[in-house]
């Protein structure tokens, strides 16, 4: 039977390139374009292998969290470089329809999944320094899955009790290190130790840690603790080296800082660029009164090398008015809403590695974005991100994810 015209057609000219020349051409592609080229031909599929794609720069994304874990088997991510939204499917490799992303480190993404209807995870072995978990029928056991959505691979970590999933904050660091922090204890998992189990560490903190972060460059965990009274919050910064999670927590304070923790309302920590800076974001109080309204959102930055604070950014007034409801009220010709008048507007803050996003109930379908500058003196770059997909009228949350092939589960 004679072959088709396609079978008789000569191969494209790029097929005649020497392997070194072809590699040189493909290495100039952005990661997103290289991934799209993989199914074009057998040559591209074989050349654009995972080890080859690991040579390309990662794709810095903002990964949005679902307000509910049943998100339809996909997640939405924003590419700041191209100002476009991406859809990351998980159904092709993850046999769990109900999952919630919680943290990332490099190209690895961590998800809470319901492990009651999943393949068995590695057991959490009991020992004096580990904890055993007895799940109940009311709260099915949860497991952390680590995956690379670009490569389509995943692995389950040892199963945890449902309380850790409901009340714990997950932090991920280099080398596959994972921490789960609650009010009284922390769990750590380190693949290189080979134990295959979670290690439990009591927390010697005066209150529940607020917005803990892992500063990869300093290899330490930072968190805010409320040391005030039931009537007035008083925040203090604490830190702990990764190598001393048991008994290593200590306050971070300097006399020269003065009242740096008193000027912000509802402060929150995020990691600064390069893992050697700590960002503290909150509403700028107009006075030191308990019910003082906020005039804008202020971003302070702590340089871990010099241990000095400086002002990294301040939300423009016109942008902040949208979060207070003043823009909506002015467009409708109505009076200023009561929450805006009292200064009790909540702005959700998320991000990491020098990028911060802001969401609020009065700002629908878009986010405010701030990017830390390299020099550190320009106040950063502010902009709006429009076209946030899905999620109804919910308040968005998320974190930075470096999509790529640099690490595998």
């Amino acid at each position: 039977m004679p072959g088709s015209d396609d079978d008789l057609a000569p191969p494209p000219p790029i097929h005649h390139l020497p392997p070194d020349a072809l590699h040189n051409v493909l290495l100039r592609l952005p990661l997103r374009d290289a991934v799209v080229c993989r199914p074009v031909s057998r040559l591209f599929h074989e050349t654009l292998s995972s080890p080859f794609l690991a040579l390309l720069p990662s794709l810095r994304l903002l990964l949005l969290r679902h307000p509910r874990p049943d998100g339809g088997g996909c997640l939405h991510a924003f590419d700041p470089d191209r100002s476009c939204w991406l859809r990351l499917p998980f159904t092709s490799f993850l046999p769990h329809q109900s999952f919630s992303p919680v943290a990332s480190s490099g190209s690895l993404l961590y998800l809470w999944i319901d492990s009651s209807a999943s393949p068995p995870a590695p057991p959490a072995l009991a020992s004096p320094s580990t904890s055993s978990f007895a799940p109940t029928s009311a709260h099915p056991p949860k497991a952390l899955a680590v995956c690379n959505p670009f490569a389509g691979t995943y692995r389950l970590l040892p199963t945890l009790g449902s309380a850790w999933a409901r009340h714990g904050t997950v932090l991920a660091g280099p080398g596959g290190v994972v921490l789960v922090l609650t009010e009284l204890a922390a769990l750590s998992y380190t693949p290189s130790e080979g134990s295959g189990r979670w290690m439990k560490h009591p927390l010697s903190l005066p209150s529940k840690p607020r917005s803990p972060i892992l500063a990869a460059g300093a290899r330490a965990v930072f968190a805010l603790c409320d040391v005030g009274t039931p009537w007035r919050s008083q925040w203090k910064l604490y830190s702990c080296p990764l190598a001393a999670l048991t008994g290593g927590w200590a306050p971070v304070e300097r006399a020269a800082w003065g009242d740096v923790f008193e000027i912000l309302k509802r402060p929150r920590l995020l990691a600064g660029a390069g893992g050697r800076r700590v960002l503290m974001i909150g509403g700028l109080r107009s006075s030191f009164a308990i019910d003082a309204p906020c005039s804008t959102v202020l971003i302070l930055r702590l340089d871990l090398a010099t241990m000095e604070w400086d002002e990294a950014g301040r939300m423009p007034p016109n942008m902040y008015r949208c979060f207070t409801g003043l823009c909506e009220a002015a467009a409708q010709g109505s009076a200023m809403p009561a929450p805006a008048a009292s200064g009790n507007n909540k702005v959700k803050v998320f991000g990491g590695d020098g990028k911060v996003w802001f969401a609020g109930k009065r700002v629908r379908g878009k986010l405010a974005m701030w990017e830390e500058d390299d020099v550190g003196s320009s106040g950063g770059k502010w902009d709006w991100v429009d076209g946030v997909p899905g999620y109804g009228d919910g308040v968005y949350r998320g974190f930075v994810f470096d999509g790529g092939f640099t690490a595998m589960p």
Side-chain angles (χ1 to χ4, degrees), residues 82-277:
R82 297 194 177 189
S83 298
C84 63
W85 288 94
L86 308 176
R87 182 176 177 271
L88 303 181
F90 287 74
T91 53
S92 60
F93 69 93
L94 188 66
H96 309 276
Q97 293 297 318
S98 179
F99 59 86
S100 176
V102 288
S104 70
S105 177
S107 298
L108 297 179
L109 178 65
Y110 294 84
L111 316 163
W112 278 122
I113 63 171
D114 183 356
S115 61
S116 58
S118 63
L125 303 179
S127 74
S129 58
T130 62
S131 56
S132 58
F133 309 101
T136 63
S137 58
H139 299 290
K142 297 288 183 178
L144 269 176
V146 53
C147 70
N148 185 319
F150 281 59
T153 57
Y154 84 102
R155 177 172 61 90
L156 292 180
L157 301 185
T159 303
L160 290 173
S162 60
W164 293 96
R166 287 184 289 117
H167 305 295
T169 300
V170 180
L171 303 177
V177 175
V178 187
L179 304 178
V180 184
L181 276 70
T182 63
E183 184 173 359
L184 300 177
L187 296 179
S188 66
Y189 178 82
T190 306
S192 60
E193 292 182 353
S195 62
R197 56 195 179 195
W198 293 93
M199 307 297 292
K200 189 173 182 179
H201 313 272
L203 290 186
S204 53
L205 292 173
S207 65
K208 180 180 179 179
R210 175 177 171 83
S211 65
I213 63 169
L214 197 158
R219 296 195 61 83
V221 182
F222 292 84
L224 292 170
C225 287
D226 188 358
V227 295
T229 66
W231 302 275
R232 185 182 182 92
S233 297
Q234 183 180 352
W235 299 102
K236 182 176 289 189
L237 183 65
Y238 283 78
S239 72
C240 178
L242 281 178
L245 291 174
T246 300
W249 288 92
V252 183
E253 49 193 355
R254 299 290 188 277
W257 290 356
D259 53 3
V260 65
F261 296 103
E262 299 296 325
I263 62 177
L264 295 182
K265 194 170 187 177
R266 292 186 296 270
R268 181 175 179 83
L269 299 181
L270 285 177
R276 297 291 303 178
R277 298 171 178 173

